[in-house]
Amino acid sequence: MARDRLSRAPFHDKQAQPGYFWGTPALAALRVRRVNWVEGFHVALSSSSTSDSELADAAREYGAHVARVARRLFDALAAALGLGLGAARAASYLAERDGFLRVYRYPPCLADPARNRLGMEAHTDSSVLTVIAQEGGVGGLQVLHDGAWRDVVAPPGGAGDGDGTLLVNLGDMAVAIGGGDACRSVRHRVAAGAERLSLCYFAFPRDDAVIRCCHGSRYRPFTYAEFREQVQADIKATGTKVGLDRFLAEAPPLKSPADEAASTTRSSAEEDSQIGG
Ligand SMILES: O=C(O)CCC(=O)C(=O)O
Ligand SMILES: [Fe+2]
């Protein structure tokens, strides 16, 4: 269905559908530094409207299931890290109904054999958890590890190569909930190439939940609403998401002139970006 609604439908039909975007996933109203080779639909799970489109209905049904998967994963993670959240705080840190889904289509981009064009720029997710279902055997998702971009290869299984496998990213909010050192939100991107479809569910804290870690934190207490507004303000002002560094309990040390010089020569592998759920 996603292929029919995205690949085969004429542009003006897609554009007329609620939640359609192209070139950048969510922040279309903000400045885009570089157009991403992507289009898709944004579907809020909390929306009370049940039939803005057949695709949205199907996405919401899928979203309700994957939200339960995210709940179980988050509770297991919090227990494994000994965060001692308690049921009410855990529920406010991952608000199942406040999540959203994006149905992505990365159109084929075969004219660029070096795969230099990006389906999605490098970023960390702002979410607590992101659960990605991707079309098998296509590839394209990459994570930054030890300074190099590495392909995420889904293990074979399910209906085809990688079909039936869910990939899970920890987002910036998981890092803050863990106090800063317990886990990391991995920097990732999507390389353009063959056509690719993916379905991404993003789980967030409740807007007013105050994020603090009982074991001490590198970050000052803040709400997700504050974080989101800061990210949008930074993107508007500079085209770049600063993210959690804005919420450090102690300001980072002033950079020496030598550090400044080094940071201007950083590799393109570490290039910043502005997007992500
Ligand atoms: O399409 C994908 O597999 C990843 C998309 C992504 O990273 C995002 O939406 O934040
Ligand atoms: Fe992402």
Side-chain angles (χ1 to χ4, degrees):
M1 190 191 298
R3 192 185 302 284
D4 282 347
R5 291 305 138 88
L6 284 164
S7 224
R8 298 186 184 128
F11 180 61
H12 59 266
D13 285 359
K14 291 188 274 196
Q15 235 185 347
Q17 299 281 328
Y20 177 74
F21 61 82
W22 67 271
T24 184
L27 306 174
L30 302 173
R31 184 145 61 103
V32 185
R33 249 188 358 181
R34 209 185 306 150
V35 171
N36 293 272
W37 202 249
V38 68
E39 64 176 347
F41 288 104
H42 180 97
V43 182
L45 295 185
S46 58
S47 168
S48 52
S49 86
T50 45
S51 58
D52 38 359
S53 79
E54 215 186 324
L55 180 64
D57 287 348
R60 281 196 192 104
E61 194 182 329
Y62 169 77
H65 293 296
V66 82
R68 285 201 302 277
V69 173
R71 164 95 272 141
R72 296 285 287 271
L73 284 173
F74 178 71
D75 291 344
L77 185 75
L81 295 175
L83 296 182
L85 296 182
R89 203 134 73 93
S92 73
Y93 281 178
L94 191 141
E96 284 164 66
R97 287 185 52 79
D98 291 350
F100 59 77
L101 263 166
R102 292 203 194 120
V103 183
Y104 290 118
R105 172 179 177 255
Y106 300 89
C109 183
L110 304 174
D112 183 3
R115 281 198 154 204
N116 285 326
R117 188 175 288 276
L118 290 177
M120 197 172 293
E121 283 181 65
H123 63 282
T124 60
D125 292 344
S126 295
S127 57
V128 180
L129 290 177
T130 306
V131 182
I132 303 171
Q134 60 173 350
E135 206 181 18
V138 178
L141 185 63
Q142 299 178 325
V143 294
L144 188 61
H145 182 70
D146 287 343
W149 287 107
R150 320 229 174 214
D151 293 325
V152 176
V153 182
D161 278 349
D163 274 350
T165 303
L166 297 176
L167 301 168
V168 179
N169 274 347
L170 294 182
D172 299 336
M173 290 308 101
V175 177
I177 291 166
D181 296 316
C183 53
R184 283 175 55 197
S185 52
V186 71
R187 203 162 192 74
H188 56 285
R189 68 181 192 181
V190 179
E195 181 183 48
R196 174 174 188 268
L197 292 166
S198 68
L199 203 51
C200 298
Y201 166 76
F202 299 88
F204 291 95
R206 251 185 22 216
D207 262 11
D208 60 351
V210 178
I211 295 170
R212 56 161 64 90
C213 177
C214 354
H215 307 320
S217 180
R218 295 167 62 178
Y219 306 105
R220 66 171 175 81
F222 63 89
T223 62
Y224 176 65
E226 268 182 85
F227 182 83
R228 186 182 52 222
E229 275 154 33
Q230 185 65 57
V231 166
Q232 297 205 352
D234 286 334
I235 293 173
K236 220 174 210 162
T238 66
T240 299
K241 168 180 163 181
V242 178
L244 280 175
D245 279 0
R246 284 271 187 223
F247 295 87
L248 286 168
E250 285 171 32
L254 283 177
K255 282 186 175 166
S256 70
D259 290 340
E260 290 289 356
S263 72
T264 59
T265 57
R266 67 189 172 160
S267 78
S268 63
E270 291 166 333
E271 200 174 302
D272 267 337
S273 77
Q274 75 273 37
I275 54 173

